[in-house]
Amino acid sequence: MRTKTAILVALLAGLHVVLLFAGFFAPYDPTTQNRDLPYAPPTRLHFKDSSGFHFRPFVCARTNVLGDQPDSYQEDYKEDRSHEYPLQFFVSGTSYKLFGIYQTGAHLFGVAEPGKVLLFGTDAYGRDELSRVLVGGQISVAAGITATFIALLAGSILGIIAGFYGRWVDESLMGLTELFLSLPWLYFLLGVRAFLPLHLSTIRTFFLLTGVIGLIGWARPARLVRGMVLSSRNRNYVLAARGFGGSDFYLLRRHILPETLGLLLTQAALLVPRYIAAEATLSFFGLGVNEPVPSWGNMLSTLQQYSVLVSYGWLLAPACALVVTSVIYSSLADVFHSRLKSYST
Protein backbone atom coordinates (compact mmCIF):
# COMPACT_ATOMS: atom_id res chain seq x y z
CA MET A 1 0.00 0.00 0.00
CA ARG A 2 2.79 2.42 0.88
CA THR A 3 4.64 1.62 -2.34
CA LYS A 4 1.52 2.26 -4.41
CA THR A 5 0.88 5.51 -2.57
CA ALA A 6 4.46 6.64 -3.13
CA ILE A 7 4.26 5.83 -6.85
CA LEU A 8 0.97 7.70 -7.28
CA VAL A 9 2.22 10.71 -5.33
CA ALA A 10 5.41 10.74 -7.42
CA LEU A 11 3.42 10.56 -10.66
CA LEU A 12 1.09 13.31 -9.51
CA ALA A 13 4.00 15.48 -8.38
CA GLY A 14 5.79 14.93 -11.70
CA LEU A 15 2.65 15.85 -13.63
CA HIS A 16 2.22 19.08 -11.70
CA VAL A 17 5.88 20.01 -12.04
CA VAL A 18 5.68 19.58 -15.82
CA LEU A 19 2.52 21.70 -15.96
CA LEU A 20 3.93 24.30 -13.57
CA PHE A 21 6.95 24.74 -15.85
CA ALA A 22 4.93 24.25 -19.04
CA GLY A 23 6.68 27.10 -20.82
CA PHE A 24 10.05 25.43 -20.23
CA PHE A 25 8.94 21.98 -21.41
CA ALA A 26 6.98 23.38 -24.37
CA PRO A 27 9.27 23.86 -27.40
CA TYR A 28 7.19 26.66 -28.95
CA ASP A 29 4.74 29.41 -28.15
CA PRO A 30 1.28 27.73 -28.05
CA THR A 31 -0.37 30.71 -29.77
CA THR A 32 2.11 31.13 -32.66
CA GLN A 33 0.60 30.08 -35.98
CA ASN A 34 2.44 28.54 -38.90
CA ARG A 35 0.06 28.45 -41.87
CA ASP A 36 2.59 26.41 -43.87
CA LEU A 37 2.14 23.43 -41.51
CA PRO A 38 -1.59 22.84 -41.01
CA TYR A 39 -2.43 19.43 -39.53
CA ALA A 40 1.20 18.32 -39.68
CA PRO A 41 1.56 14.80 -38.21
CA PRO A 42 3.92 14.16 -35.28
CA THR A 43 7.60 14.50 -36.11
CA ARG A 44 9.61 11.30 -36.24
CA LEU A 45 12.84 11.18 -34.26
CA HIS A 46 15.67 9.45 -36.13
CA PHE A 47 18.85 7.88 -34.80
CA LYS A 48 20.20 6.49 -38.04
CA ASP A 49 21.01 8.02 -41.41
CA SER A 50 23.20 7.14 -44.39
CA SER A 51 26.37 7.70 -42.35
CA GLY A 52 25.33 5.34 -39.56
CA PHE A 53 23.89 5.40 -36.04
CA HIS A 54 23.81 8.60 -33.93
CA PHE A 55 23.28 8.82 -30.20
CA ARG A 56 21.77 12.29 -30.59
CA PRO A 57 18.33 12.06 -32.25
CA PHE A 58 17.54 14.29 -35.19
CA VAL A 59 14.56 15.34 -37.26
CA CYS A 60 14.28 15.91 -40.98
CA ALA A 61 12.88 18.79 -42.94
CA ARG A 62 9.36 18.41 -44.27
CA THR A 63 7.80 19.15 -47.61
CA ASN A 64 4.05 19.24 -47.96
CA VAL A 65 2.25 18.16 -51.09
CA LEU A 66 -1.40 18.96 -51.78
CA GLY A 67 -3.66 15.92 -51.39
CA ASP A 68 -4.97 13.91 -54.31
CA GLN A 69 -8.33 15.69 -54.29
CA PRO A 70 -7.97 19.22 -55.66
CA ASP A 71 -10.77 20.59 -53.45
CA SER A 72 -9.32 19.10 -50.29
CA TYR A 73 -7.47 21.13 -47.68
CA GLN A 74 -5.69 18.11 -46.28
CA GLU A 75 -1.94 18.23 -46.67
CA ASP A 76 0.41 15.30 -47.17
CA TYR A 77 3.81 15.71 -45.59
CA LYS A 78 6.99 13.97 -46.70
CA GLU A 79 10.37 13.98 -45.05
CA ASP A 80 13.33 15.55 -46.80
CA ARG A 81 16.24 13.38 -45.62
CA SER A 82 18.74 15.76 -47.22
CA HIS A 83 18.15 18.27 -44.41
CA GLU A 84 18.72 16.97 -40.89
CA TYR A 85 18.39 18.94 -37.65
CA PRO A 86 19.88 17.46 -34.45
CA LEU A 87 17.77 17.69 -31.31
CA GLN A 88 19.31 20.14 -28.85
CA PHE A 89 18.65 20.46 -25.14
CA PHE A 90 18.40 23.57 -22.96
CA VAL A 91 18.01 25.94 -25.86
CA SER A 92 16.85 29.52 -26.16
CA GLY A 93 13.59 30.09 -28.00
CA THR A 94 10.37 32.04 -27.80
CA SER A 95 10.04 34.04 -24.60
CA TYR A 96 7.39 33.36 -21.95
CA LYS A 97 6.68 34.37 -18.37
CA LEU A 98 7.67 31.86 -15.71
CA PHE A 99 5.05 31.88 -12.93
CA GLY A 100 3.56 34.85 -14.75
CA ILE A 101 6.42 37.07 -13.49
CA TYR A 102 9.86 36.25 -14.89
CA GLN A 103 10.47 36.73 -18.60
CA THR A 104 12.67 33.99 -20.03
CA GLY A 105 13.26 32.12 -23.26
CA ALA A 106 14.76 28.90 -21.90
CA HIS A 107 13.30 25.63 -23.26
CA LEU A 108 14.13 22.02 -22.53
CA PHE A 109 14.66 21.03 -26.16
CA GLY A 110 14.41 22.28 -29.70
CA VAL A 111 16.05 22.29 -33.12
CA ALA A 112 17.70 24.97 -35.19
CA GLU A 113 15.52 26.90 -37.61
CA PRO A 114 14.08 26.26 -40.13
CA GLY A 115 13.72 22.77 -38.65
CA LYS A 116 10.68 21.93 -36.55
CA VAL A 117 10.27 19.32 -33.83
CA LEU A 118 6.54 18.68 -33.53
CA LEU A 119 6.25 15.62 -31.32
CA PHE A 120 2.44 15.85 -31.14
CA GLY A 121 1.90 17.38 -34.59
CA THR A 122 0.04 20.62 -35.26
CA ASP A 123 -3.55 21.84 -35.41
CA ALA A 124 -5.40 23.57 -38.24
CA TYR A 125 -3.36 26.75 -37.80
CA GLY A 126 0.01 25.04 -37.60
CA ARG A 127 0.33 25.55 -33.83
CA ASP A 128 2.45 23.02 -31.96
CA GLU A 129 0.10 20.55 -30.27
CA LEU A 130 2.56 19.53 -27.54
CA SER A 131 3.03 23.13 -26.44
CA ARG A 132 -0.71 23.66 -26.42
CA VAL A 133 -1.35 20.49 -24.40
CA LEU A 134 1.17 21.55 -21.76
CA VAL A 135 0.02 25.16 -21.45
CA GLY A 136 -3.63 24.15 -21.78
CA GLY A 137 -3.14 21.56 -19.05
CA GLN A 138 -1.68 24.27 -16.85
CA ILE A 139 -4.95 26.20 -17.16
CA SER A 140 -7.31 23.22 -16.90
CA VAL A 141 -5.59 21.63 -13.88
CA ALA A 142 -5.27 25.01 -12.15
CA ALA A 143 -9.00 25.51 -12.66
CA GLY A 144 -9.73 22.08 -11.17
CA ILE A 145 -7.50 22.65 -8.14
CA THR A 146 -8.84 26.16 -7.49
CA ALA A 147 -12.47 25.05 -7.79
CA THR A 148 -11.75 22.11 -5.46
CA PHE A 149 -10.21 24.44 -2.88
CA ILE A 150 -13.29 26.69 -2.99
CA ALA A 151 -15.70 23.75 -2.74
CA LEU A 152 -13.82 22.11 0.14
CA LEU A 153 -13.39 25.39 2.01
CA ALA A 154 -17.08 26.26 1.79
CA GLY A 155 -18.18 22.67 2.41
CA SER A 156 -15.86 22.26 5.41
CA ILE A 157 -17.03 25.45 7.11
CA LEU A 158 -20.73 24.70 6.63
CA GLY A 159 -20.32 21.00 7.46
CA ILE A 160 -18.42 21.76 10.68
CA ILE A 161 -21.00 24.31 11.78
CA ALA A 162 -23.89 21.95 11.02
CA GLY A 163 -22.31 18.91 12.67
CA PHE A 164 -20.92 20.66 15.75
CA TYR A 165 -23.89 22.82 16.71
CA GLY A 166 -26.72 20.64 15.41
CA ARG A 167 -30.40 21.43 16.01
CA TRP A 168 -31.96 24.05 13.75
CA VAL A 169 -28.59 25.06 12.33
CA ASP A 170 -28.00 21.50 11.19
CA GLU A 171 -31.50 21.15 9.76
CA SER A 172 -31.28 24.44 7.83
CA LEU A 173 -27.84 23.79 6.34
CA MET A 174 -28.58 20.18 5.47
CA GLY A 175 -31.84 21.23 3.82
CA LEU A 176 -29.85 23.64 1.65
CA THR A 177 -27.38 20.83 0.96
CA GLU A 178 -30.14 18.50 -0.20
CA LEU A 179 -31.37 21.22 -2.57
CA PHE A 180 -27.92 21.58 -4.15
CA LEU A 181 -27.45 17.82 -4.39
CA SER A 182 -30.76 17.43 -6.22
CA LEU A 183 -29.70 19.86 -8.96
CA PRO A 184 -28.27 18.42 -12.20
CA TRP A 185 -24.91 20.10 -11.77
CA LEU A 186 -23.88 20.07 -15.42
CA TYR A 187 -27.05 21.76 -16.70
CA PHE A 188 -27.04 24.11 -13.74
CA LEU A 189 -23.42 25.00 -14.46
CA LEU A 190 -24.17 25.65 -18.11
CA GLY A 191 -27.16 27.79 -17.12
CA VAL A 192 -25.19 29.87 -14.62
CA ARG A 193 -22.33 30.41 -17.09
CA ALA A 194 -24.78 31.38 -19.82
CA PHE A 195 -25.94 34.36 -17.74
CA LEU A 196 -22.40 35.65 -17.37
CA PRO A 197 -20.83 37.92 -20.03
CA LEU A 198 -19.29 35.98 -22.89
CA HIS A 199 -16.59 38.48 -23.82
CA LEU A 200 -14.26 38.53 -20.84
CA SER A 201 -10.50 38.49 -20.44
CA THR A 202 -8.83 35.15 -19.84
CA ILE A 203 -8.10 35.94 -16.18
CA ARG A 204 -11.68 37.03 -15.45
CA THR A 205 -13.06 34.03 -17.27
CA PHE A 206 -10.78 31.72 -15.27
CA PHE A 207 -11.81 33.10 -11.89
CA LEU A 208 -15.49 33.28 -12.78
CA LEU A 209 -15.35 29.72 -14.03
CA THR A 210 -13.57 28.32 -11.00
CA GLY A 211 -15.76 30.33 -8.64
CA VAL A 212 -18.98 29.06 -10.18
CA ILE A 213 -17.76 25.44 -10.29
CA GLY A 214 -16.48 25.58 -6.71
CA LEU A 215 -19.58 27.19 -5.23
CA ILE A 216 -21.83 24.67 -6.94
CA GLY A 217 -19.82 21.71 -5.64
CA TRP A 218 -19.73 22.50 -1.90
CA ALA A 219 -22.78 20.40 -0.97
CA ARG A 220 -21.34 16.86 -1.01
CA PRO A 221 -18.18 17.70 0.99
CA ALA A 222 -20.34 19.61 3.48
CA ARG A 223 -22.53 16.58 4.02
CA LEU A 224 -19.57 14.25 4.51
CA VAL A 225 -17.78 16.63 6.88
CA ARG A 226 -20.98 17.11 8.85
CA GLY A 227 -21.29 13.36 9.36
CA MET A 228 -17.66 13.10 10.48
CA VAL A 229 -18.00 16.01 12.93
CA LEU A 230 -21.31 14.67 14.25
CA SER A 231 -19.62 11.37 15.01
CA SER A 232 -16.48 12.92 16.51
CA ARG A 233 -18.18 15.35 18.88
CA ASN A 234 -19.83 12.49 20.85
CA ARG A 235 -16.64 10.52 21.45
CA ASN A 236 -15.47 10.03 25.01
CA TYR A 237 -12.28 12.07 24.79
CA VAL A 238 -14.18 15.01 23.28
CA LEU A 239 -16.81 14.84 26.01
CA ALA A 240 -14.04 14.62 28.61
CA ALA A 241 -12.28 17.66 27.17
CA ARG A 242 -15.55 19.58 27.23
CA GLY A 243 -16.09 18.53 30.84
CA PHE A 244 -12.69 19.96 31.77
CA GLY A 245 -13.74 23.33 30.34
CA GLY A 246 -12.47 23.08 26.78
CA SER A 247 -13.89 25.80 24.52
CA ASP A 248 -15.58 25.12 21.20
CA PHE A 249 -12.55 26.44 19.34
CA TYR A 250 -10.21 24.18 21.35
CA LEU A 251 -12.36 21.11 20.74
CA LEU A 252 -12.53 21.81 17.01
CA ARG A 253 -8.83 22.56 16.65
CA ARG A 254 -7.48 19.81 18.88
CA HIS A 255 -9.85 16.89 18.43
CA ILE A 256 -12.43 17.27 15.65
CA LEU A 257 -10.68 18.99 12.72
CA PRO A 258 -7.79 16.46 12.60
CA GLU A 259 -10.41 13.73 12.17
CA THR A 260 -11.63 15.35 8.95
CA LEU A 261 -8.19 15.66 7.29
CA GLY A 262 -8.23 12.20 5.68
CA LEU A 263 -11.76 12.76 4.43
CA LEU A 264 -10.82 16.11 2.89
CA LEU A 265 -7.78 14.61 1.15
CA THR A 266 -9.94 11.87 -0.34
CA GLN A 267 -12.54 14.38 -1.47
CA ALA A 268 -9.84 16.59 -3.00
CA ALA A 269 -8.47 13.67 -5.03
CA LEU A 270 -12.00 12.91 -6.25
CA LEU A 271 -13.10 16.46 -7.00
CA VAL A 272 -10.02 17.75 -8.87
CA PRO A 273 -10.49 15.51 -11.96
CA ARG A 274 -14.24 16.12 -11.86
CA TYR A 275 -13.76 19.87 -11.92
CA ILE A 276 -11.07 19.62 -14.58
CA ALA A 277 -13.66 17.79 -16.69
CA ALA A 278 -16.21 20.52 -15.86
CA GLU A 279 -13.85 23.22 -17.10
CA ALA A 280 -13.08 21.18 -20.20
CA THR A 281 -16.80 20.71 -20.86
CA LEU A 282 -17.53 24.44 -20.62
CA SER A 283 -14.55 25.33 -22.80
CA PHE A 284 -15.55 22.62 -25.28
CA PHE A 285 -18.91 24.35 -25.76
CA GLY A 286 -17.30 27.80 -25.95
CA LEU A 287 -18.40 28.94 -22.48
CA GLY A 288 -15.01 28.72 -20.77
CA VAL A 289 -11.50 29.80 -21.71
CA ASN A 290 -11.52 30.93 -25.33
CA GLU A 291 -8.95 30.94 -28.11
CA PRO A 292 -6.17 31.77 -28.66
CA VAL A 293 -5.39 30.80 -25.04
CA PRO A 294 -5.41 26.99 -25.00
CA SER A 295 -7.18 24.73 -22.53
CA TRP A 296 -7.93 21.05 -22.90
CA GLY A 297 -11.58 21.83 -23.52
CA ASN A 298 -11.28 24.36 -26.33
CA MET A 299 -8.55 22.26 -27.94
CA LEU A 300 -10.97 19.33 -28.16
CA SER A 301 -13.70 21.51 -29.64
CA THR A 302 -12.08 21.18 -33.08
CA LEU A 303 -12.93 17.47 -33.00
CA GLN A 304 -16.63 18.30 -33.39
CA GLN A 305 -15.88 18.11 -37.11
CA TYR A 306 -16.05 14.46 -38.12
CA SER A 307 -13.45 14.85 -40.87
CA VAL A 308 -10.93 16.22 -38.35
CA LEU A 309 -11.73 13.50 -35.81
CA VAL A 310 -11.10 10.61 -38.20
CA SER A 311 -8.15 12.12 -40.07
CA TYR A 312 -5.95 13.71 -37.41
CA GLY A 313 -5.74 11.36 -34.46
CA TRP A 314 -2.95 13.33 -32.76
CA LEU A 315 -5.48 16.06 -31.93
CA LEU A 316 -6.87 13.65 -29.32
CA ALA A 317 -3.79 14.38 -27.17
CA PRO A 318 -5.73 16.67 -24.76
CA ALA A 319 -8.28 13.90 -24.19
CA CYS A 320 -5.48 11.43 -23.45
CA ALA A 321 -3.92 13.91 -21.01
CA LEU A 322 -7.31 14.39 -19.34
CA VAL A 323 -7.79 10.63 -18.97
CA VAL A 324 -4.28 10.09 -17.55
CA THR A 325 -4.74 12.92 -15.04
CA SER A 326 -8.14 11.61 -13.97
CA VAL A 327 -6.84 8.05 -13.55
CA ILE A 328 -3.94 9.19 -11.34
CA TYR A 329 -6.19 11.31 -9.14
CA SER A 330 -8.86 8.60 -8.90
CA SER A 331 -6.28 5.95 -7.99
CA LEU A 332 -4.90 8.22 -5.29
CA ALA A 333 -8.43 8.77 -3.96
CA ASP A 334 -8.91 4.99 -3.72
CA VAL A 335 -5.68 4.71 -1.73
CA PHE A 336 -6.74 7.51 0.63
CA HIS A 337 -10.15 5.90 1.06
CA SER A 338 -8.62 2.51 1.88
CA ARG A 339 -6.29 4.04 4.44
CA LEU A 340 -9.18 6.01 5.95
CA LYS A 341 -11.23 2.83 6.31
CA SER A 342 -8.33 0.98 7.92
CA TYR A 343 -7.81 3.77 10.46
CA SER A 344 -11.53 3.94 11.32
CA THR A 345 -11.69 0.17 11.98
Side-chain angles (χ1 to χ4, degrees):
M1 179 66 72
R2 291 183 178 178
T3 303
K4 182 178 180 181
T5 304
I7 293 174
L8 290 173
V9 170
L11 288 174
L12 199 60
L15 172 67
H16 285 85
V17 167
V18 170
L19 294 180
L20 184 63
F21 296 94
F24 173 70
F25 289 98
Y28 302 106
D29 185 345
T31 62
T32 300
Q33 300 182 8
N34 188 343
R35 297 302 181 95
D36 294 329
L37 296 172
Y39 295 125
T43 303
R44 294 177 57 188
L45 294 178
H46 299 275
F47 290 87
K48 188 176 181 180
D49 60 9
S50 57
S51 62
F53 181 82
H54 301 273
F55 287 100
R56 180 185 293 273
F58 62 89
V59 299
C60 299
R62 286 184 172 184
T63 57
N64 50 358
V65 182
L66 191 64
D68 296 332
Q69 298 179 2
D71 295 331
S72 174
Y73 291 98
Q74 180 175 352
E75 300 285 341
D76 293 329
Y77 292 89
K78 296 183 179 180
E79 289 187 330
D80 183 4
R81 299 301 296 267
S82 62
H83 294 82
E84 299 176 354
Y85 302 94
L87 191 66
Q88 301 174 355
F89 294 94
F90 302 104
V91 299
S92 179
T94 55
S95 62
Y96 60 93
K97 285 189 176 182
L98 187 64
F99 307 123
I101 301 175
Y102 303 104
Q103 193 80 21
T104 180
H107 295 268
L108 176 62
F109 65 93
V111 296
E113 294 291 342
K116 295 289 183 182
V117 53
L118 308 168
L119 298 182
F120 284 8
T122 65
D123 63 3
Y125 300 102
R127 296 175 295 192
D128 179 44
E129 189 74 1
L130 174 60
S131 301
R132 291 177 60 77
V133 167
L134 292 175
V135 177
Q138 192 177 51
I139 294 175
S140 296
V141 173
I145 293 175
T146 306
T148 299
F149 175 78
I150 295 173
L152 290 182
L153 180 63
S156 299
I157 293 174
L158 296 177
I160 289 170
I161 293 174
F164 190 77
Y165 292 102
R167 299 182 181 180
W168 65 269
V169 177
D170 185 20
E171 294 178 0
S172 301
L173 291 178
M174 288 303 103
L176 185 62
T177 300
E178 293 294 334
L179 175 62
F180 268 79
L181 287 175
S182 64
L183 293 173
W185 71 270
L186 178 59
Y187 299 107
F188 185 71
L189 188 60
L190 291 172
V192 171
R193 180 62 184 90
F195 281 101
L196 298 174
L198 292 178
H199 301 288
L200 294 172
S201 66
T202 302
I203 296 178
R204 289 186 178 181
T205 301
F206 176 84
F207 284 109
L208 278 175
L209 199 62
T210 54
V212 169
I213 294 173
L215 292 177
I216 288 176
W218 66 268
R220 189 174 298 278
R223 190 174 183 178
L224 294 173
V225 170
R226 177 255 184 189
M228 182 70 73
V229 173
L230 196 63
S231 173
S232 299
R233 73 172 188 174
N234 294 321
R235 294 183 178 178
N236 293 332
Y237 57 85
V238 177
L239 296 176
R242 185 185 294 277
F244 281 108
S247 64
D248 291 349
F249 177 75
Y250 173 81
L251 295 177
L252 287 170
R253 178 182 61 83
R254 183 66 177 84
H255 297 293
I256 295 178
L257 291 181
E259 295 284 338
T260 65
L261 181 59
L263 174 65
L264 293 177
L265 287 176
T266 305
Q267 281 297 298
L270 286 172
L271 292 179
V272 169
R274 183 180 302 177
Y275 292 158
I276 293 175
E279 185 279 329
T281 301
L282 289 176
S283 297
F284 180 84
F285 290 113
L287 298 175
V289 178
N290 296 318
E291 294 282 4
V293 179
S295 78
W296 287 346
N298 62 32
M299 291 176 65
L300 291 172
S301 64
T302 59
L303 300 179
Q304 296 180 66
Q305 304 177 35
Y306 178 75
S307 59
V308 175
L309 177 62
V310 299
S311 300
Y312 313 114
W314 56 88
L315 295 183
L316 287 169
C320 297
L322 181 60
V323 170
V324 170
T325 304
S326 299
V327 168
I328 295 176
Y329 268 107
S330 300
S331 301
L332 191 61
D334 290 338
V335 172
F336 286 154
H337 181 65
S338 299
R339 294 174 70 91
L340 190 63
K341 285 179 63 177
S342 65
Y343 288 148
S344 60
T345 57

